[in-house]
Amino acid sequence: MKTLAIVASMLGLASAHMEMSNPPPFRSRYNPHTTNIDYDLVNPLAADGSNYPCKGYHTSFNTPQGASVATWQPGSQQTLSIVGSATHNGGSCQASLSYDGGASWKVIKSWIGNCPLKKDWPFTVPSDTPSGEALFAWSWHNNIGNREMYMNCAHVTIGGNNGGSLSGRPDIFVANVGSKVNNCRTVEGSDVLYPNPGPDVENTSSRTAPPTCGGKMARGLRV
């Protein structure tokens, strides 16, 4: 019985049952525009980085399946919702926006520790967020289990007539997806301490560790 319990525990860590439900991402069961659901959205990005970003689904942007699912005003309060059961003891998460089809991402919120141990994660759309069509991403680096990165993306519309810029915000943190993207890895059993979390950050972790990038600890490094 004890052996079966250990095996069940290991299988629980191997199954990555977490995904963003709001805003509903591309190819999601929660997205009203989806015509061919990808039930593997709960799984991490490929270890070699071949489907970074967005598991490759950012290419659906502005197609019938990739229509906008939310309209947000600069300065408004919004909620990122994450559902599933295999939380991997939490970890650290980020919310990011891209205006160039996923080539670059700017972080608008960082949560260090305990993410995603609850469903709803409130954040503020920065007042300087440019108006227009954008990609929104939830990314997560898990605390325990294999060294992985999870990422779901959605098409959102930023309303108003705001000519702002997010250029002063940090780039999304990327790790555990091989050298094709970068050479960073997070530390097993710790919540990754983002080198550049941005001005809007919540740190509720009791145990953090910086990532290693190229074999060295990353401190204040843009990746």
Side-chain angles (χ1 to χ4, degrees):
M1 294 297 291
K2 185 176 180 180
T3 300
L4 289 175
I6 292 173
V7 171
S9 177
M10 294 177 66
L11 288 174
L13 290 179
S15 61
H17 299 156
M18 303 301 295
E19 64 180 304
M20 180 170 71
S21 61
N22 183 60
F26 302 119
R27 298 283 299 277
S28 168
R29 74 191 82 179
Y30 302 104
N31 190 326
H33 306 299
T34 296
T35 56
N36 54 335
I37 296 172
D38 180 4
Y39 292 99
D40 288 333
L41 283 180
V42 298
N43 292 330
L45 295 174
D48 63 1
S50 58
N51 61 354
Y52 173 86
C54 308
K55 308 200 81 172
Y57 294 146
H58 58 298
T59 56
S60 298
F61 187 74
N62 273 338
T63 66
Q65 279 202 99
S68 179
V69 292
T71 298
W72 299 337
Q73 300 300 323
S76 66
Q77 298 290 313
Q78 302 298 332
T79 299
L80 163 65
S81 297
I82 308 164
V83 296
S85 58
T87 60
H88 294 254
N89 201 40
S92 299
C93 300
Q94 290 186 313
S96 307
L97 286 170
S98 174
Y99 285 85
D100 56 9
S104 64
W105 298 85
K106 292 298 181 180
V107 175
I108 60 174
K109 179 76 178 190
S110 293
W111 295 274
I112 299 173
N114 298 303
C115 183
L117 297 185
K118 61 181 182 179
K119 178 182 177 182
D120 294 330
W121 297 84
F123 66 94
T124 300
V125 179
S127 59
D128 55 349
T129 303
S131 299
E133 306 304 310
L135 288 166
F136 175 83
W138 163 67
S139 54
W140 169 40
H141 295 90
N142 52 311
N143 181 295
I144 61 174
N146 295 329
R147 300 297 79 211
E148 297 168 333
M149 178 174 177
Y150 300 76
M151 187 179 192
N152 294 159
C153 302
H155 178 178
V156 300
T157 301
I158 306 300
N161 188 24
N162 194 351
S165 172
L166 296 177
S167 60
R169 299 265 172 168
D171 297 335
I172 190 175
F173 175 72
V174 181
N176 305 328
V177 288
S179 59
K180 288 183 180 180
V181 181
N182 63 28
N183 198 25
C184 292
R185 290 187 66 81
T186 59
V187 177
E188 164 77 18
S190 295
D191 301 314
V192 61
L193 186 64
Y194 292 126
N196 291 281
D200 194 354
V201 55
E202 293 180 24
N203 188 337
T204 60
S205 176
S206 60
R207 182 179 179 179
T208 62
T212 59
C213 296
K216 299 180 179 179
M217 286 290 185
R219 300 183 186 278
L221 173 69
R222 288 187 180 274
V223 294

